Amino acid sequence: MGQHDHNELATKIQKAKEQLGSQVYILGHHYQPKEILTHVDAVGDSLDLAQRAQAEKNAPYIVFCGVRFMAETADILTSDDQVVLLPNSNAGCPLADMATGDALNDAWKRLTAALGHDITPIAYVNSSAEVKAFCGEHGGLTCTSSSAPTVFQHAFESSEHILFLPDQNLGYNVARQIGIPPEAIQRQDTIGEHVSSAAPRVIVWNGHCYVHTVFTTEHIKQTREEHPEVKIIVHPECPPEVVERADDVGSTAHIRTQVLAAPTGSVWAIGTEINLVDALRRQCPDQTILSLNGTGSACEDMHRITPSDLHSTLAGLTQGQVMNQVQVPPDIRPTARKALERMLLLS
Ligand code: 13P
Ligand code: SF4
């Protein structure tokens, strides 16, 4: 598509949005490209967007430029008569798909048989509504990358063990961050094998995010050789050996805060999704901002939402047509909501 077509499409999106006025509220995650973010009413990380969806009481339509689990979260947190739309129904999250409700039920039976019932299940928001509902029903809650340390600490006030799913790296890195020793962290699929002598405090699922596991210790070594003054900051979905060798680790919100506040001339290598790295590069032209692996790592699912999809969704609404509505089944919505609300109360 040429620049002229891009501009024409952007104008059409703007017109449809103006026509809809206060009928529509558009949210966008930081991993969306600038061609989308230029049209949103609010941009944020997953925690921020969940809070904004919960606070939006007026717009009947919420268009979510992100991935399915984020749109589901918005649907769970908004009122029954508000409609959430995902401009491309194929924008999923392979990490979220790595934990199914059935597998969780099976694992829970094995875990409670081995460790007793003093376990709090914690679902990363990057999970299905079914997994969130399981946690809500079993005294657990959700967390995002920015609320995870607080949520873990809160869970340990009343429980001996945490089951965290689906991201093994985030679970391990956050457990280490709050002082849990490596030998007290075990992967769920190895429970029953004699991996550690003591009962684990944190049991992590075996999922991972392909966008963040591309970053390696070799990238860190090479970056430090080429840029001795560099500060390396990575997302907690990166592998533990990368997190251990980085200068700083934190959520999307933490990465943004650190880079935006840094002095002119700072050099950064960032281990997270490329659209966020590119956005920081645009916002901080007086700093050198690199992707930790040199070329950048893209979330294909986030990239599925195109300006053309956004236009079709908005144009449909101007004609009274609802396309790609995201609707969490009513039987799991209340318990999934309970898990999310417990997190939001701590945030
Ligand atoms: P945040 O919780 O930092 O927004 O991250 C969302 C995500 O999908 C990370 O891969
Ligand atoms: Fe899922 Fe990873 Fe994409 Fe985040 S970056 S939406 S965890 S695949």
Side-chain angles (χ1 to χ4, degrees):
M1 196 187 273
Q3 193 54 45
H4 173 75
D5 296 332
H6 271 300
N7 294 346
E8 205 171 302
L9 191 50
T11 308
K12 280 160 86 178
I13 294 172
Q14 222 37 53
K15 279 203 178 128
K17 195 180 165 191
E18 274 162 31
Q19 199 177 330
L20 290 160
S22 59
Q23 296 279 101
V24 72
Y25 183 53
I26 310 179
L27 292 171
H29 189 268
H30 284 297
Y31 291 178
Q32 290 287 298
K34 71 174 190 314
E35 295 72 25
I36 294 289
L37 291 183
T38 173
H39 300 293
V40 305
D41 295 304
V43 55
D45 69 351
S46 54
L47 178 63
D48 192 16
L49 294 175
Q51 286 165 329
R52 285 173 190 270
Q54 189 187 37
E56 176 56 47
K57 300 290 177 215
N58 300 319
Y61 300 111
I62 293 172
V63 174
F64 209 112
C65 299
V67 293
R68 179 165 297 275
F69 74 79
M70 297 178 180
E72 283 179 350
T73 297
D75 179 53
I76 294 165
L77 292 171
T78 48
S79 69
D80 288 351
D81 50 9
Q82 286 175 302
V83 171
V84 177
L85 300 93
L86 182 66
N88 184 325
S89 63
N90 293 321
C93 168
L95 168 62
D97 295 342
M98 288 175 191
T100 63
D102 285 348
L104 174 54
N105 270 302
D106 285 352
W108 187 254
K109 279 184 204 137
R110 279 188 291 110
L111 283 180
T112 48
L115 302 172
H117 280 83
D118 197 6
I119 310 173
T120 298
I122 300 178
Y124 193 26
V125 285
N126 305 33
S127 59
S128 66
E130 205 180 353
V131 164
K132 292 180 179 79
F134 180 98
C135 292
E137 211 176 312
H138 291 80
L141 69 172
T142 63
C143 74
T144 67
S145 56
S146 49
S147 61
T150 309
V151 167
F152 273 43
Q153 268 155 343
H154 170 80
F156 275 138
E157 283 168 19
S158 55
S159 285
E160 180 61 19
H161 310 283
I162 284 175
L163 167 64
F164 178 77
L165 72 166
D167 190 280
Q168 59 183 289
N169 292 323
L170 190 123
Y172 185 94
N173 292 325
V174 171
R176 293 290 294 120
Q177 201 179 331
I178 65 160
I180 304 296
E183 61 276 14
I185 308 167
Q186 193 172 337
R187 259 205 3 220
Q188 144 299 310
D189 52 349
T190 64
I191 296 283
E193 293 170 22
H194 193 70
V195 174
S196 66
S197 50
R201 301 288 316 281
V202 178
I203 301 105
V204 295
W205 203 256
N206 59 357
H208 70 277
C209 162
Y210 71 95
V211 178
H212 290 90
T213 46
V214 301
F215 300 108
T216 64
T217 54
E218 190 50 39
H219 294 137
I220 295 203
K221 190 167 159 273
Q222 210 174 325
T223 306
R224 292 208 193 279
E225 277 165 18
E226 286 168 21
H227 306 275
E229 72 282 40
V230 75
K231 274 201 82 169
I232 296 178
I233 188 164
V234 300
H235 193 278
E237 286 173 19
C238 291
E241 65 276 15
V242 169
V243 168
E244 277 156 23
R245 288 166 179 78
D247 297 304
D248 197 358
V249 56
S251 64
T252 301
H254 178 78
I255 294 173
R256 288 188 73 250
T257 307
Q258 295 307 109
V259 175
L260 291 172
T264 299
S266 301
V267 182
W268 292 96
I270 308 180
T272 195
E273 214 279 336
I274 188 62
N275 279 332
L276 175 66
V277 179
D278 283 345
L280 285 170
R281 202 177 283 132
R282 287 193 300 276
Q283 286 161 40
C284 307
D286 52 0
Q287 300 187 41
T288 301
I289 295 176
L290 313 162
S291 177
L292 179 56
N293 68 340
T295 50
S297 183
C299 175
E300 283 171 27
D301 286 86
M302 284 280 180
H303 289 231
R304 281 190 217 283
I305 295 181
T306 62
S308 168
D309 293 329
L310 179 57
H311 175 249
S312 305
T313 302
L314 296 176
L317 288 178
T318 64
Q319 309 290 318
Q321 282 167 17
V322 172
M323 287 156 73
N324 300 330
Q325 181 177 358
V326 172
Q327 232 174 345
V328 171
D331 56 326
I332 56 173
R333 204 164 179 259
T335 39
R337 187 176 182 126
K338 200 182 278 181
L340 284 161
E341 284 175 348
R342 287 182 185 137
M343 166 187 77
L344 291 170
L345 278 175
L346 295 172
S347 305

